[in-house]
């Protein structure tokens, strides 16, 4: 696969006709962009494209999109000359609705009929909270408890045009008690009530033709630790991993260093969960670990996250139990200095590269998108923005900053044209599409999100 382009050069006095010539050699794709004035720009390799401008600057595909160009994906089999108007004809047909398992081909996600799919997703909050008990059973416990979506959530997500949900789950809820050794073998004690609740959620969305991506979530790491100065506890990894450990930062460092083979235990949980849904065609993806982030004080730099090794372990476990699920690999956060936790694409087929973008302005968000898009293009894998909050429009605890609507419109336009999927965080909760304690949407936010389909 290669990224081909149909560049519409927008000039003040009109739009020039642009013709794209492309030639595939053994490993290099030579591209020449021709205008009436002669050669305007030329491009690069079969894993992606960089458009060199006369000023010796360069554009990624996303740069071209943001400037008003359209990007298309093609599979070349012979030398050909195509006009800008005809380029999109070689693309696989697109579909919004997801009907079952998916696979990737280069930077595309395709369904079983070979149609292009882009995740336009809604984050589902609630099932990641707690330490094994439901919210009703936990009562006023500082760990709170997990909760299922409201009955209206399922119909609303489908009716509002989202084709998938990113369902946050947690290891702490899936396996609230430590494994025990029985007959010389480790026996896991997975939470049957929690798994039954997940089954119900999957059925609720699948009945409305909404696919489910399982997200192994953490927020403030674990119910073993308090959330800042509040009485509430974190969510994510089980508390039984950390007897006598008082520092969340220590727990993070131990996990990424695989202290005590903790990653193998998480892999076992993933193997169970992936196997449980192995025959459910609407459970289409596994987001393997939420926000594997470096510590900003330098105590845990991106280079010490060892994400390549982590994702090999987790991906192997999922694949052993469920070969049909897409594997989604989140990278570390972008701290602006070029250091990332992943050094290369994970060694699996059917993988998706992901990041989160909570920048407050379009210019800062755009800089982040460009950097992750360049990495996805270099690795020739699909890109997915796994979380964002609409430039603060989802936050319920503070007024929305001016300019969020224009920023979000630009983000929706750029990602739609570039084929980058996304998932808004979240339907409800502290950061939400709907107003607190209701299923009523924030209509301006919903309208702009719907424009990004």
């Amino acid at each position: 696969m290669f990224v081909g382009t149909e560049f519409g050069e927008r000039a003040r006095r009109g739009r020039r006709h642009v013709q794209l010539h492309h030639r595939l050699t053994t490993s290099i794709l030579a591209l020449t962009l021709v205008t009436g004035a002669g050669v305007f720009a030329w491009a690069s390799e079969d894993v992606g494209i960089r458009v060199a401008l006369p000023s010796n600057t360069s554009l990624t595909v996303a740069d071209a999109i943001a400037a008003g160009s359209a990007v298309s994906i093609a599979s070349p089999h012979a030398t050909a000359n195509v006009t800008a108007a005809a380029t999109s004809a070689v693309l696989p047909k697109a579909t919004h609705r997801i009907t079952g398992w998916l696979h990737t081909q280069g930077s595309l996600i395709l369904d079983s009929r070979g149609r292009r799919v882009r995740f336009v997703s809604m984050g589902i909050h609630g099932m990641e909270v707690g330490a094994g008990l439901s919210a009703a059973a936990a009562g006023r416990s500082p760990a709170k408890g997990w909760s299922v979506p409201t009955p209206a959530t399922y119909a609303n997500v489908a009716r509002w045009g989202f084709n998938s949900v990113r369902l946050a789950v947690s290891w702490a809820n899936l396996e609230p008690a430590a494994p025990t050794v029985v007959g010389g073998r480790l026996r896991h004690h997975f939470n049957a009530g929690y798994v039954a609740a997940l089954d119900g959620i999957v059925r609720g969305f699948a009945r409305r033709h909404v696919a489910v991506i399982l997200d192994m979530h953490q927020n403030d790491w674990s119910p073993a630790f308090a959330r800042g100065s509040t009485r509430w506890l974190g969510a994510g990894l089980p508390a039984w991993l950390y007897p006598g450990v008082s520092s969340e930062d220590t727990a993070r460092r131990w996990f990424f260093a695989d202290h005590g083979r903790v990653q193998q235990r998480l892999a076992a949980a993933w193997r169970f969960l992936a196997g449980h849904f192995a025959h459910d065609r609407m459970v289409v993806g596994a987001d393997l670990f939420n926000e594997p982030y470096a510590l900003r004080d330098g105590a845990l730099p991106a280079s010490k996250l060892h994400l390549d090794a982590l994702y090999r372990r987790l991906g192997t476990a999922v694949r052993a139990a469920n070969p049909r699920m897409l594997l989604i690999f989140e990278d570390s956060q972008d701290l602006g200095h070029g250091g990332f936790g992943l050094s290369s694409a994970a060694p699996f087929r059917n993988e998706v590269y992901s990041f989160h973008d909570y920048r407050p302005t379009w210019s800062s968000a755009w800089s982040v998108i460009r950097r992750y898009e360049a990495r996805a293009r270099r690795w020739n894998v699909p890109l997915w923005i796994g979380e964002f909050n609409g430039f603060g429009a989802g936050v319920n605890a503070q007024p929305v900053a001016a300019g969020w609507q224009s920023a979000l419109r630009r983000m929706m336009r750029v990602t739609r044209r570039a084929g980058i999927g996304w998932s808004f965080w979240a339907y409800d909760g502290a950061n939400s599409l709907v107003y607190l304690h209701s299923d009523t949407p924030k209509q301006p936010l919903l309208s702009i999100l719907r424009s990004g389909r």
Side-chain angles (χ1 to χ4, degrees), residues 15-32:
R15 185 170 180 167
R16 302 179 198 170
H17 177 75
V18 177
Q19 187 177 27
L20 182 70
H21 299 280
H22 58 82
R23 180 179 72 252
L24 181 68
T25 64
T26 302
S27 61
I28 301 296
L29 176 66
L31 293 171
T32 305

Side-chain angles (χ1 to χ4, degrees), residues 375-439:
R375 289 165 66 78
R377 181 169 38 82
R378 185 164 66 249
W379 298 338
N380 200 25
V381 295
L383 183 64
W384 188 45
I385 303 174
E387 285 187 21
F388 69 104
N389 69 356
F391 300 95
V395 179
N396 292 306
Q398 61 191 41
V400 184
W404 75 267
Q405 291 179 318
S406 60
L408 184 57
R409 286 192 186 98
R410 294 183 72 178
M411 180 179 176
M412 293 294 97
R413 182 171 62 251
V414 167
T415 54
R416 184 182 69 249
R417 292 179 177 176
I420 299 171
W422 48 259
S423 182
F424 180 84
W425 183 261
Y427 178 86
D428 58 9
N431 209 55
S432 64
L433 173 61
V434 299
Y435 291 104
L436 278 175
H437 313 302
S438 81
D439 287 289

Side-chain angles (χ1 to χ4, degrees), residues 256-431:
F256 290 113
D258 197 23
H259 179 79
R261 293 171 58 86
V262 61
Q263 294 177 12
Q264 300 294 344
R265 295 189 174 193
L266 176 56
W270 255 125
R271 187 179 300 110
F272 167 80
L273 193 61
H276 180 79
F277 289 108
H279 300 291
D280 195 324
R281 62 188 304 109
M282 291 302 285
V283 180
V284 299
D287 192 339
L288 294 174
F289 196 86
N290 183 64
E291 296 185 349
Y293 284 177
L295 295 175
R296 292 180 179 273
D297 62 3
L300 180 64
S303 61
K304 297 296 185 181
L305 296 172
H306 307 297
L307 295 188
D308 302 84
L310 170 66
Y311 287 143
R312 277 196 302 272
R313 292 186 180 101
L314 301 185
T316 298
V318 172
R319 279 282 184 265
N322 188 335
R324 295 186 178 98
M325 293 176 78
L326 296 179
L327 298 178
I328 300 171
F329 303 95
E330 291 187 38
D331 210 337
S332 58
Q333 76 270 50
D334 181 4
L335 296 176
H337 51 60
F340 292 93
L342 271 173
S343 64
S344 63
F348 301 96
R349 295 172 58 86
N350 299 325
E351 61 176 319
V352 176
Y353 182 51
S354 179
F355 69 102
H356 295 175
D357 197 342
Y358 283 99
R359 293 304 195 273
T361 65
W362 168 243
S363 60
S364 58
W366 171 233
S367 296
V368 172
I369 293 171
R370 288 180 63 193
R371 285 190 280 272
Y372 287 103
E373 189 269 346
R375 289 165 66 78
R377 181 169 38 82
R378 185 164 66 249
W379 298 338
N380 200 25
V381 295
L383 183 64
W384 188 45
I385 303 174
E387 285 187 21
F388 69 104
N389 69 356
F391 300 95
V395 179
N396 292 306
Q398 61 191 41
V400 184
W404 75 267
Q405 291 179 318
S406 60
L408 184 57
R409 286 192 186 98
R410 294 183 72 178
M411 180 179 176
M412 293 294 97
R413 182 171 62 251
V414 167
T415 54
R416 184 182 69 249
R417 292 179 177 176
I420 299 171
W422 48 259
S423 182
F424 180 84
W425 183 261
Y427 178 86
D428 58 9
N431 209 55

Side-chain angles (χ1 to χ4, degrees), residues 4-84:
T5 59
E6 49 177 289
F7 291 93
E9 184 194 359
R10 299 181 184 270
R12 290 182 181 178
R13 299 183 179 179
R15 185 170 180 167
R16 302 179 198 170
H17 177 75
V18 177
Q19 187 177 27
L20 182 70
H21 299 280
H22 58 82
R23 180 179 72 252
L24 181 68
T25 64
T26 302
S27 61
I28 301 296
L29 176 66
L31 293 171
T32 305
L33 183 63
V34 180
T35 70
V39 175
F40 175 75
W42 62 279
S44 75
E45 301 182 11
D46 55 2
V47 297
I49 180 171
R50 295 187 67 82
V51 182
L53 300 174
S55 63
N56 294 324
T57 61
S58 62
L59 294 174
T60 67
V61 173
D63 286 320
I65 289 297
S69 304
V71 166
S72 50
I73 310 296
S75 180
H77 298 288
T79 300
N81 294 329
V82 295
T83 64

Side-chain angles (χ1 to χ4, degrees), residues 48-207:
I49 180 171
R50 295 187 67 82
V51 182
L53 300 174
S55 63
N56 294 324
T57 61
S58 62
L59 294 174
T60 67
V61 173
D63 286 320
I65 289 297
S69 304
V71 166
S72 50
I73 310 296
S75 180
H77 298 288
T79 300
N81 294 329
V82 295
T83 64
T87 303
S88 61
V90 299
L91 276 166
K93 182 180 178 181
T95 183
H96 181 70
R97 175 174 287 188
I98 298 171
T99 59
W101 293 303
L102 304 168
H103 63 280
T104 65
Q105 185 172 322
S107 61
L108 296 178
I109 299 174
L110 304 176
D111 68 8
S112 61
R113 296 170 60 182
R115 299 175 299 184
R116 282 181 294 134
V117 172
R118 185 169 69 97
F119 288 139
V120 177
S121 311
M122 179 55 56
I124 301 299
H125 154 77
M127 292 300 288
E128 80 282 15
V129 179
L133 296 176
S134 68
R140 295 185 58 80
S141 162
K144 296 187 177 181
W146 53 263
S147 57
V148 301
T150 64
T153 302
Y154 306 99
N156 284 346
V157 167
R159 181 164 55 88
W160 295 339
F162 301 97
N163 64 8
S164 48
V165 293
R166 180 174 178 261
L167 175 58
V169 303
S170 72
W171 184 12
N173 282 322
L174 183 63
E175 193 174 14
T180 54
V181 177
V182 178
R185 302 186 65 178
L186 203 63
R187 175 177 291 179
H188 294 271
H189 307 286
F190 295 113
N191 188 342
Y194 182 72
V195 174
L198 292 177
D199 287 340
I201 295 170
V202 169
R203 285 195 301 270
F205 285 115
R207 278 198 297 265

